[in-house]
Amino acid sequence: MKKVGVFVCHCGTNISQTVHCEKLAEAAKTLPGVAFSTEYKYMCSDPGQTMIKEAIAEHGLDRVVVAACSPRMHETTFRKCIDSGGLNPYMLEIANIREQCSWVHSDKDKATAKAGDLVNMAVAKVLKNEQLPSSFIPVHKRALVIGGGIAGIQAALDIADTGYHVDLVEREPSIGGKMAQIDKTFPTMDCSACILTPKMVDASQHPNITIIPYSEVEKVDGYVGNFDVTIRRKASYVDSVKCTGCGLCSEKCPSKKIPSEFECNLGTRPAIYSPFPQAIPNKPVIDRENCRYFKTGKCKICARVCTADAVNFEDQDEMVQIRYGAIVVATGYTLYDHSQYGEYGYGHYKDVISGLEFERLVNASGPTMGKIKRPSDNTEPKNVVFIKCVGSRDKARGHDYCSRACCMYTAKHATMVRDKIKDSQAIIFYMDIRTPGKNYEEFYLRGVEEYGVTYVRGRVSRIYEEGEGENRKLIVQGEDTLLGKQVFVDADMVVLATAMEPQPDAAGFARKIGISYDQNNFFSEAHPKLRPVETLSAGIYLAGACQGPKDIPDTVAQAGAAAAKVVALLSKDEMETEPIVAKVDTDRCSGCGFCIPICPYKAISFTDLTERVHGSVAWGPTGKEVKRQVANVNNGLCQGCGACTVNCRAGALDLLGFTNEQILAEVDSLW
Amino acid sequence: MKDTVIHATNTIAIRHEMRNIARNLLEIQAVDLILGWKKGILPNKSAPAFIHRPDQVDDLIFDEFCYHNLTKFLLGCPDRQDRIADNEDRLKTAIFVKGCDSRSLIGLIQDNQITRENVYIIGIDCPGLKEEHNTTILAKKCETCYTATPVEYDILIDSPDKRPENPNGLKGFQAHRDLAKIENMPPAERGAYWQQMFQSCIRCYACRNVCPVCSCKECCFDQTLPNWVGKGNNTSDNGFYHLVRAMHVAGRCVSCGECERSCPMHLPVMLLNSKLGLSIEELFDEPPASMNFDVTATLNHFKPEDPEEFM
């Protein structure tokens, strides 16, 4: 006979102040199948768990209902508890009488009645529970990191240091990402390149890291422990093995006036180029769009000057398929395009620039050799105005969210202006100043107190140009909300702290690799607090700004966390899979295949079934063997989402642990 | 495949061509069964015909009462199961289809219930059928017809009498005057209307059994574990039956009207299907169900640009 134990938790007073826990436990005793029922202040605590284990032994319980908080909180805890008590961990049901009852009600009697119903349902369901066995799948001990910015580099290094092989895929010709473009880092004012490039070198020289530059992930098949990833190596037209990186080709290339992406279009580059001098790998690629040979069919100067014979105009994109056990997604961010702000000149004013452009202007290896010069006429700006929250915290045209790093980098920029141009003025228009990081507030105050940066609280309503030639200047019109007055500020240059936003192809990429993304197209973590680096797809982890706006310290920390998760996964020879997966009743399956396209994890496929036909089939043969197609679920891929089960009209698909019978038993128990 | 087109000038010629094609197929042993129509016993009724031998082909007819969508018979054909059983290349089944029938045939192929190679499809350009109680009126289901010419065939009997095609989808069609009438009722009256309908249903399951898209191996209404819907014949369980059935065929119903034709209680069984069809058409920018092989049922795939008003 089935014996259910019901354990009611007070959760301190979280539950007991709205639900009569004693009455609830008492009432549960009368439910069919319940052999034991009790209550305790903290069921999840050690004495609480011991109580459950002892009751299992003493009363011979074979299934357990815990009436407590949400299963998302402690289902795993109690599964482990009954497991060590000798039961299959899936002989457990949680009645959520906290989030779904005590927290949302105030009338104690009614809440108790509702809690009674919830317990009633859980008991009805647990009576239909069956022991679910875990299965094991092998783990392929190799990791893939997608994106070679600081997040990807850090994650790759941390994984590689533990002895596992990592492939680092980067779509640009060099790793380094946005951090390579930045001049200095707050709050220490370390030179960005000085702390990044050694890491890039470490990555390139690490025996366990293979950098796959100028390549993109095309397709991800398979499942945790066994991802089959197709990577497209884009044609670079330069044989990276033969090339010595001497740079002669770039020097001699006749097409030199191409705006450099790395310099935010403030500088130029040739058609055969390496993005920056410290690039890794330092092997050039040919930009087919702008190459004279590809445009006119004549030139080939680079091929002629190359002593290593490395230039190959016949190069083609190449697809490679590699198997990985785990994936870290570190695809980073891009910046909001301020040309959507009409009042800031739609991007037409040359001297209204973005923060990243400013980074290039102050960078010693940048287009101005580190001298701050305004782009329109290369003169030194005296009055520099900074505007924060351009595209951030702006529901109308930009994003709802705060981009987090802008307050700090604007403080950094203003400090740098005051430091480099002694007779300058730096004025920052702000909505709020957010400095929640170690030594951040001090950094901001130093800018104000020691460098004399001026902060004006208010939004800028308009920027317009006045004057001609040397006298040309920008007028910044805004409200000083602390004075309650309109202010007009003459500016030689305006720097906009534009929002961080996901890469333009983020949503498509997420769909391609099978992870979810939020309304802003940032990739979603599995749980905002408790699982911040995991995605909902097992074996795929997130690092850096692809998950949400982040500064460098947070990115590095998250990359380390993601690496730890990867290592934990790869350290096992085989992995226990969640047994809550879909199961096919082949007797009911007609092989229509409707579940196949609906499965977001590509876990369902056809399989041939040979069976003997019995009885009197209308016109069919009897006692004959027939072969037909039925659906088959790959337990490794299935995440137990249940999409297939609701799509199966005949109910041939069922989700173990949430079977149709169990759900109907819950519903029926209410009447 | 759409191989051959034969021109027929009138109904007599269509019948003549049907018999010729059928006789030829059986004589060269390309097929061992032909599904078609024959004259019924009652006036204004035609009946399905199962032609095995050349001497039976003269039974074949095509008139304005050939309602039967014969495609569902393919599921029970011995030919189909035997072939799977023996894994040998046996003879095919040939089937006559009107436009709407051809869509349900595509549906069955999309549902992996029959394979295209195992059927020889003889299409007939449809002039539109007539109501059996009043032969001057176009049959209701034909008012919403998208396809007078079958969308798939091996050989087509083309006719100048064919009904002009409506490219505009379900919207604005006359047959939906019934739907509009019900939707305009005050809620209480509308509730009473459905109650009345569900009350009259005798749960004979004829509408399900005849439906060409109902191809489940074990229908959910027949299952006892779990007991999805009560088996009793009462208004509430009957209502569940009709609603669940409508949901199960939503996005796949080809409006062939077989459910309504077969209902012994003459209930407007198609109404719910039409309503769902109309909603799907309004929500998703896709062709109606089973118009071609490439587009699977609307509710069975997702696209990034699908509307997500609920998100």
Side-chain angles (χ1 to χ4, degrees), chain A residues 608-610 624-628, chain B residues 79-90:
Chain A
D608 281 335
L609 176 80
T610 309
K624 259 192 165 181
E625 274 202 346
V626 294
K627 201 160 129 193
R628 61 186 181 93
Chain B
D79 175 48
R80 169 174 172 256
Q81 293 225 336
D82 271 353
R83 193 193 321 280
I84 305 168
D86 303 340
N87 292 324
E88 64 183 39
D89 195 20
R90 281 170 53 100

Side-chain angles (χ1 to χ4, degrees), chain B residues 146-191:
Chain B
Y146 302 97
T147 46
T149 302
V151 290
E152 174 72 6
Y153 51 79
D154 290 301
I155 188 167
L156 173 72
I157 304 173
D158 173 355
S159 145
D161 300 337
K162 80 167 176 183
R163 205 181 131 65
E165 297 191 359
N166 294 305
N168 300 328
L170 288 169
K171 272 171 251 170
F173 274 108
Q174 290 236 319
H176 294 288
R177 57 187 171 217
D178 293 349
L179 205 56
K181 201 169 70 192
I182 294 162
E183 287 185 331
N184 291 332
M185 287 176 181
E189 195 185 327
R190 191 160 66 222

Side-chain angles (χ1 to χ4, degrees), chain A residues 62-65 75-76 78-84 86-94 122 125-135 576-581 656-658 662:
Chain A
D62 65 352
R63 50 203 77 211
V64 167
V65 168
E75 190 170 44
T76 324
F78 290 115
R79 274 186 190 156
K80 280 185 189 145
C81 165
I82 70 162
D83 191 19
S84 65
L87 299 186
N88 179 286
Y90 295 91
M91 300 306 273
L92 169 82
E93 285 304 324
I94 305 277
K125 186 181 176 203
V126 83
L127 285 168
K128 304 263 182 195
N129 277 25
E130 280 175 22
Q131 302 197 3
L132 301 181
S134 291
S135 53
E576 195 174 343
T577 59
E578 179 78 38
I580 296 187
V581 291
L656 295 177
F658 294 90
Q662 286 177 307

